[in-house]
Amino acid sequence: MHLCGFLIAGPVVHSHAIWRNPKHTTDFLSLEHYTRIAKVLERGRFDFMFFADRLAIADRYGASHVTGIRHGDQDATRMDPMPILGALAAVTSRIGLGATRSTTYDAPYNIAREFATLDHISAGRAAWNVVTSMNDGEALNYGNVPHLGHDERYDRADEFMEVAFKLWDSWEPDALVLDRARGIYADPSKVHYLNHSGKWFQSRGPLNIPRGPQGRPVVIQAGSSGRGKAFAARWSEVIFALQPNMERMHKFTAEVHAALAQQGRPADASRILMAIMPFIGESRAEAEEKRDLHDSLVDPLVGLSTLGAHANADFSALPLDESVESVTSSGSQGNINALKSIAAGEPISIADAGRIYGRGVMCPRLVGTAKDVADEMADIVASGAADGFVVSPAFLPDTFEDFVDGVVPILQDKGLFRRDYAGVTLRDHLGIADGTA
Ligand SMILES: Cc1cc2nc3c(=O)[nH]c(=O)nc-3n(C[C@H](O)[C@H](O)[C@H](O)COP(=O)(O)O)c2cc1C
């Protein structure tokens, strides 16, 4: 079983209650906050931790930033994950370090440099969550208006990946010579120009950084639309999914396996990790109390602000009791389809959608003792619905502490999770071959 800790470099994660919990510190702008979390996750032998990211404050709701900023939604603050991961590389030694970067609002050369650098300084622990970005707010910050259409973003992303891969491969593994006696730094015959010229990108190359310890960083993707899954099947080595129930987890995984087969890749070429939000107590009643406390801290408006950012749509004009069926998305399609399916036939209202989104975007909740949570996770993996989990905290750092001290030892006793790291790189932890050309 593979485990990832989910984070945003800001006040909330999927849960919008995090910063409001009176028990917690509000030092999410400090390095200490992320260092504490990284150390807990590494103590729990997590494969990696990862920062989600977006490139604009949310101002879809009411065509203004007022709701998101006032209530503290998912986009009210997001610091850049890369400097944080650089700092965390120095205080950890095994846990993988993942960051989100957008193929719509960046250039392949920048991305290839950033992740090659992180891979070197972390001794092979870098991972890139490839996103195509979601909304017009992001387009407005990059002078790129209007936001490209949904499928066109993936077309651009395909070429982006081609260029990034060529850049990482532009140094052969043994190109760096470092022969001090003869004064030979590197072998020029093993460092190659790309001369890439395509529809979206021109890049001459080569990269100005030798090949990283992992060859290429681990590539993560989370698209859940049809086009998104095809993209993930072509490029990813880890797939994140957020599916609200077991039935949808199975459907998603079967579709990804079919998409991988279409790309000529085996079903285990990409590790499928399902998002979960655990609430862990000494008893079930205590876990339920924690969940209820958490939920009481979420205003439906804050969820609607984040939902608006995901769907690239303004829900402020719709009556709160209107059915969510009328919602359409030019942003994330997979998330919106999942939202419509959540009530199993019974339509849910816009206000319900705001509450669901604010409480945890739609992450399935595992509520109970550490044993209950471990058993449920074991069942999901045994059923073939996932290869592991993205653990999304409801409380910080408490959820990760409860999980590492309570759930991880049970998973270890069941023989489902490592007792110690067997290797150094993130590829070692995930059991995926090095990204050589
Ligand atoms: C666990 C998880 C994490 C994600 N993290 C991000 C993120 O950090 N930034 C982002 O723009 N999209 C993120 N997404 C969204 C997807 O990457 C994707 O861009 C989005 O779902 C739109 O694709 P689709 O229409 O194919 O579903 C995430 C999705 C999941 C399930």
Side-chain angles (χ1 to χ4, degrees):
M1 184 186 291
H2 299 285
L3 294 177
C4 161
F6 183 87
L7 289 165
I8 288 173
V12 307
V13 190
H14 286 118
S15 158
H16 291 60
I18 296 213
W19 72 271
R20 289 193 60 194
N21 191 327
K23 267 177 60 193
H24 295 158
T25 57
T26 49
D27 60 349
F28 54 84
L29 297 173
S30 76
L31 185 56
E32 287 71 29
H33 178 71
Y34 301 101
T35 302
R36 248 186 339 257
I37 293 168
K39 289 192 167 173
V40 171
L41 294 174
E42 190 166 63
R43 179 161 62 77
R45 307 296 186 252
F46 270 52
D47 294 74
F48 64 109
M49 58 189 287
F50 133 87
F51 286 98
D53 200 22
R54 253 191 317 271
L55 302 170
I57 54 148
D59 57 1
R60 303 297 86 193
Y61 193 81
S64 137
H65 66 306
V66 168
T67 305
I69 291 289
R70 174 174 291 144
H71 296 290
D73 74 358
Q74 251 193 0
D75 294 314
T77 296
R78 289 184 187 250
M79 294 196 293
D80 188 325
M82 284 307 259
I84 299 174
L85 290 181
L88 295 182
V91 293
T92 56
S93 63
R94 288 291 183 279
I95 190 164
L97 304 168
T100 301
R101 283 284 193 248
S102 169
T103 54
T104 303
Y105 301 114
D106 216 318
Y109 205 86
N110 290 346
I111 298 276
R113 288 190 81 215
E114 284 183 317
F115 285 94
T117 303
L118 183 62
D119 207 41
H120 278 293
I121 67 170
S122 66
R125 296 186 281 141
W128 172 25
N129 178 38
V130 183
V131 300
T132 54
S133 298
M134 292 181 175
N135 63 53
D136 292 345
E138 297 176 288
L140 286 162
N141 285 341
Y142 287 83
N144 202 349
V145 181
H147 193 40
L148 282 177
H150 180 269
D151 287 6
E152 215 178 3
R153 295 202 293 277
Y154 280 115
D155 294 344
R156 177 184 155 107
D158 273 327
E159 192 185 325
F160 196 113
M161 299 307 287
E162 271 174 44
V163 181
F165 275 34
K166 284 186 203 166
L167 287 164
W168 287 316
D169 294 343
S170 64
W171 285 65
E172 292 184 30
D174 56 352
L176 191 62
V177 176
L178 291 179
D179 183 335
R180 289 188 281 202
R182 290 192 303 142
I184 307 292
Y185 175 68
D187 180 347
S189 72
K190 294 183 175 173
V191 179
H192 306 287
Y193 287 102
L194 277 58
N195 293 317
H196 177 91
S197 177
K199 175 175 176 195
W200 302 95
F201 303 106
Q202 274 76 47
S203 187
R204 190 196 58 171
L207 195 62
N208 52 2
I209 302 173
R211 195 171 181 81
Q214 294 191 106
R216 301 178 196 136
V218 171
V219 173
I220 307 167
Q221 223 282 320
S224 51
S225 62
R227 183 66 182 90
K229 284 197 203 86
F231 178 83
R234 180 168 173 197
W235 299 107
S236 74
E237 295 162 309
V238 172
I239 293 180
F240 285 157
L242 201 161
Q243 298 296 335
N245 55 47
M246 187 81 137
E247 192 191 331
R248 282 191 66 97
M249 288 182 198
H250 273 287
K251 184 167 174 288
F252 177 89
T253 297
E255 285 167 2
V256 166
H257 286 165
L260 283 165
Q262 264 188 353
Q263 295 290 336
R265 299 178 73 202
D268 65 357
S270 202
R271 305 273 179 253
I272 301 176
L273 307 187
M274 292 288 163
I276 53 167
M277 187 182 283
F279 291 87
I280 302 157
E282 291 295 319
S283 63
R284 279 186 201 177
E286 191 190 286
E288 284 165 8
E289 254 173 52
K290 285 189 184 180
R291 178 200 56 201
D292 294 345
L293 163 73
H294 171 268
D295 290 354
S296 72
L297 299 172
V298 175
D299 188 315
L301 281 184
V302 80
L304 284 177
S305 182
T306 293
L307 175 59
H310 286 192
N312 198 27
D314 179 5
F315 303 118
S316 66
L318 297 174
L320 286 175
D321 58 359
E322 172 131 350
S323 162
V324 82
E325 283 300 319
S326 60
V327 169
T328 55
S329 170
S330 64
S332 165
Q333 293 183 354
N335 276 16
I336 301 308
N337 292 339
L339 185 60
K340 288 179 183 176
S341 78
I342 209 164
E346 277 176 49
I348 57 173
S349 69
I350 299 287
D352 293 335
R355 262 186 290 274
I356 291 166
Y357 241 70
R359 288 171 182 175
V361 176
M362 272 181 305
C363 281
R365 292 142 164 250
L366 275 44
V367 186
T369 62
K371 182 175 179 315
D372 294 333
V373 171
D375 286 348
E376 210 170 331
M377 293 170 69
D379 286 348
I380 292 171
V381 169
S383 78
D387 300 309
F389 300 92
V390 177
V391 181
S392 189
F395 303 100
L396 270 179
D398 323 22
T399 299
F400 288 141
E401 284 167 349
D402 293 347
F403 190 92
V404 163
D405 295 331
V407 179
V408 166
I410 299 173
L411 294 173
Q412 289 168 333
D413 288 347
K414 286 176 186 278
L416 288 173
F417 192 60
R418 68 178 67 83
R419 286 195 189 275
D420 205 349
Y421 293 109
V424 176
T425 69
L426 178 53
R427 286 182 184 280
D428 293 337
H429 311 335
L430 291 167
I432 47 177
D434 111 13
T436 40

